[in-house]
């Protein structure tokens, strides 16, 4: 078993309370690198916590930054677990891994591990299959909005549902969910986010804009080339094969998604991962898969982050 | 706590566009209470459907009558969840 000095077991699934408590431990263990900030609160008033990895304590303006979020679809537990492992990896590899150290010398990394805390808590307490937020929908007995259809980028198009009972319900209006609005406000308020990486499971894909329209993004070729490098790096660890490309052409039309909004708002390096699909468990991936999944995702992440670091814009 | 005893997850892998269209129509059948884990996108991409126990027979008949190939990815969802819960409790101890 892979354990941290606080006894936290990275090879098992954890509740939101355990993850939030562990985040405090991580901050305490690495006070000069890691801090915890709150960017808002969920519909059910849970704090939306983001880990900030930064070595630039005296900067008057925001340093260039990389945004990573995991688990916006609450039932995809492998993503939150990968987020935890990744946070620990960033903290422990700083000063050892030359590439990561160089990145953190001039850039900050923001990581939101439990991006949909109400849904995540609900998967642990009431319904393991819950994907959406937990907000009430006026005029419907069905709760929740798909937070990855709730962004103001092609909002409400055919790649989302207008039925509140659907798993892809887009919500009454863009950013109706505090879970998405808080991230958007944070990224816009920061003003210097250079990359946004939104991590999901499961389909073994690495995708980039657009999902809401057919045309290639202006940076399509660069994003495509970098995606290939990233999935090659990922495959080199355990042989896991990913497909890659624009969302529209890799999987399907999806409207109102995170990375289309980030891209349309100036974040050139916008990517979304779909982690492991073993063909046996769907998103109910056994905990034994957490470490291998996180291990193989890491070089893909660092490949993207390193490219962002070396290609300022 | 909601339980999923007898629910199965079926994986459809087809190279026919008409099957994809049929799977989309199936999703609209609200009485079947289907949960599409992986939505029908395009041929050669897997479609995963959690089928509640009471809907298993009509769904399988629908798939077979249209010649849509499928395999059972998860035999009993609740069994898998019980194993997951047990593993978490063991790790916590």
């Amino acid at each position: 078993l892979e354990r941290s000095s606080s006894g936290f077991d990275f090879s098992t699934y954890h509740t939101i309370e355990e993850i939030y408590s562990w985040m405090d431990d991580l901050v305490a263990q690495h006070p000069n690198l890691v801090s915890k900030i709150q960017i808002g609160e969920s519909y059910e008033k849970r704090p939306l916590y983001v880990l900030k990895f930064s070595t630039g304590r005296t900067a008057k303006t925001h340093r260039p930054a990389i945004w990573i979020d995991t688990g916006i679809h609450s039932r995809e537990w492998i993503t939150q677990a990968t987020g935890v492992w990744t946070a620990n990896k960033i903290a422990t590899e700083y000063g050892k891994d030359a590439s990561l150290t160089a990145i953190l010398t001039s850039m900050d990394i923001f990581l939101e591990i439990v991006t949909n805390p109400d849904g995540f808590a609900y998967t642990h307490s009431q319904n393991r299959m819950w994907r959406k937020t937990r907000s009430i929908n006026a005029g419907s007995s069905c709760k929740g909005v798909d937070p990855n259809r709730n962004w103001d980028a092609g909002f409400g198009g055919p790649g989302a549902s207008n039925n509140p009972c659907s798993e892809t319900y887009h919500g009454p209006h863009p950013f109706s969910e505090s879970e998405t609005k808080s991230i958007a406000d944070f990224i816009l308020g920061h003003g210097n986010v250079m990359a946004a990486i939104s991590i999901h499971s499961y389909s073994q894909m690495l995708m980039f804009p657009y999902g809401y329209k057919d045309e290639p993004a202006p940076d399509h070729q660069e994003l495509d080339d970098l995606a290939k490098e990233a999935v090659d790096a990922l495959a080199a660890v355990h042989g896991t094969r990913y497909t890659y490309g624009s969302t529209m052409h890799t999987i399907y039309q999806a409207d109102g998604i995170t990375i289309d909004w980030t891209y349309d708002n100036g974040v050139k390096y916008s990517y979304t991962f779909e982690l492991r699909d073993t063909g046996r468990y769907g998103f109910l991936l056994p905990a034994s898969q957490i470490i291998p999944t996180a291990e193989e995702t890491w070089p893909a992440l660092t490949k993207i982050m390193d490219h962002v670091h070396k290609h300022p814009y | 706590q909601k339980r999923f005893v007898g629910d199965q997850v079926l994986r459809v892998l087809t190279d026919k566009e008409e099957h994809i269209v049929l799977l989309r129509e199936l999703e609209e059948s609200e009485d079947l209470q289907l949960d599409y884990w992986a939505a029908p996108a395009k041929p050669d991409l897997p479609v995963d459907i959690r089928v509640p126990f009471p809907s298993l027979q009509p769904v399988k008949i629908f798939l077979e009558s249209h010649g849509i190939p499928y395999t059972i990815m998860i035999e009993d969802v609740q069994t898998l969840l019980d194993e997951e819960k047990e593993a978490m409790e063991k790790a916590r101890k």
Side-chain angles (χ1 to χ4, degrees):
Chain A
L1 300 180
E2 191 169 336
R3 290 176 189 275
S4 75
S5 56
S6 65
F8 190 89
D9 182 359
F10 293 100
S11 62
T12 190
Y13 291 118
H14 294 275
T15 63
I16 188 170
E17 291 81 10
E18 290 167 349
I19 292 174
Y20 277 8
S21 170
W22 173 79
M23 284 163 61
D24 289 336
D25 290 345
L26 187 74
V27 171
Q29 287 165 15
H30 305 275
N32 296 323
L33 178 66
V34 193
S35 57
K36 186 182 81 176
I37 56 177
Q38 186 178 345
I39 62 166
E41 60 181 24
S42 67
Y43 179 79
E44 293 177 342
K45 308 295 180 196
R46 289 183 177 84
L48 299 171
Y49 287 137
V50 174
L51 289 175
K52 178 181 180 182
F53 300 84
S54 180
T55 59
R57 289 180 294 279
T58 57
K60 287 178 182 166
T61 56
H62 291 303
R63 298 180 350 143
I66 294 165
W67 170 271
I68 305 171
D69 61 76
T70 55
I72 200 168
H73 287 149
S74 50
R75 66 191 186 180
E76 297 165 6
W77 283 8
I78 192 72
T79 57
Q80 294 93 342
T82 296
V84 169
W85 186 96
T86 301
N88 187 62
K89 187 75 171 171
I90 295 170
T92 54
E93 286 296 304
Y94 174 69
K96 297 178 192 165
D97 179 297
S99 169
L100 177 72
T101 304
I103 293 165
L104 283 167
T105 300
S106 60
M107 302 184 78
D108 295 342
I109 300 172
F110 294 94
L111 172 54
E112 186 176 8
I113 295 174
V114 187
T115 307
N116 176 4
D118 296 347
F120 189 61
Y122 200 68
T123 61
H124 280 274
S125 62
Q126 300 289 318
N127 183 348
R128 177 68 181 86
M129 301 297 137
W130 196 260
R131 160 185 164 110
K132 301 189 284 183
T133 62
R134 289 293 299 161
S135 56
I136 288 172
N137 293 308
S140 173
S141 60
C142 293
K143 282 189 170 187
V145 165
D146 182 346
N148 198 35
R149 297 292 186 280
N150 189 237
W151 299 71
D152 194 9
F155 178 86
S161 173
N162 58 10
N163 176 0
C165 298
S166 166
E167 296 292 354
T168 55
Y169 176 49
H170 50 54
H173 57 83
F175 298 126
S176 59
E177 308 308 286
S178 59
E179 292 83 355
T180 55
K181 177 81 163 54
S182 299
I183 299 173
D185 287 347
F186 176 79
I187 289 176
L188 292 177
H190 185 283
N192 211 5
V193 173
M194 299 287 122
I197 303 168
S198 186
I199 303 183
H200 292 244
S201 71
Y202 65 101
S203 288
Q204 292 183 192
M205 293 172 177
L206 177 56
M207 293 174 285
F208 50 83
Y210 292 104
Y212 75 90
K213 58 184 173 183
D214 194 29
E215 66 189 64
D219 302 294
H220 179 93
Q221 196 55 55
E222 184 182 357
L223 294 171
D224 197 66
D225 292 345
L226 179 54
K228 183 183 186 316
E229 282 185 45
V231 301
D232 285 349
L234 187 151
V237 181
H238 294 296
T240 307
R241 294 282 165 195
Y242 273 42
T243 53
Y244 63 94
S246 72
T247 305
M248 173 76 91
H249 289 281
T250 305
I251 184 163
Y252 44 50
Q253 180 170 2
D255 294 284
I257 64 174
T258 310
I259 60 161
D260 281 357
W261 181 85
T262 53
Y263 188 78
D264 280 350
N265 282 271
V267 183
K268 178 179 173 182
Y269 298 106
S270 291
Y271 284 99
T272 187
F273 278 85
E274 289 276 352
L275 303 182
R276 270 191 186 198
D277 171 15
T278 63
R280 295 182 63 192
Y281 305 104
F283 58 77
L284 296 176
L285 217 52
S288 58
Q289 298 268 327
I290 295 171
I291 304 293
T293 303
E295 279 176 344
E296 69 190 10
T297 306
W298 175 249
L301 278 176
T302 52
K303 188 68 77 175
I304 294 170
M305 294 195 293
D306 186 58
H307 183 93
V308 175
H309 175 235
K310 288 173 178 164
H311 296 81
Y313 63 95
Chain B
Q1 193 168 40
K2 191 169 165 58
R3 292 175 63 77
F4 302 90
V5 178
D7 289 14
Q8 292 189 344
V9 179
L10 308 182
R11 169 161 283 200
V12 176
L13 200 51
T14 176
D15 57 3
K16 293 187 171 67
E17 181 63 41
E18 59 263 35
H19 289 167
I20 298 297
V21 174
L22 285 166
L23 290 168
R24 287 193 192 120
E25 286 171 13
L26 187 66
E27 192 176 14
E28 301 302 317
S29 310
E30 284 186 18
D31 53 320
L32 294 172
Q33 299 281 301
L34 303 181
D35 173 10
Y36 276 62
W37 287 10
K42 53 186 171 187
D44 296 323
L45 278 183
V47 180
D48 295 339
I49 315 165
R50 180 177 61 80
V51 186
F53 179 70
S55 302
L56 272 175
Q57 197 177 10
V59 168
K60 287 181 178 176
I61 288 171
F62 176 89
L63 296 174
E64 286 161 17
S65 66
H66 288 94
I68 301 174
Y70 72 91
T71 54
I72 300 171
M73 186 166 77
I74 299 175
E75 282 278 352
D76 184 333
V77 172
Q78 190 58 48
T79 302
L80 200 53
L81 297 187
D82 290 344
E83 287 170 10
E84 185 182 72
K85 196 171 183 181
E86 195 182 336
M88 280 180 75
E89 282 166 5
K90 205 172 168 183
R92 202 166 287 134
K93 279 177 196 161

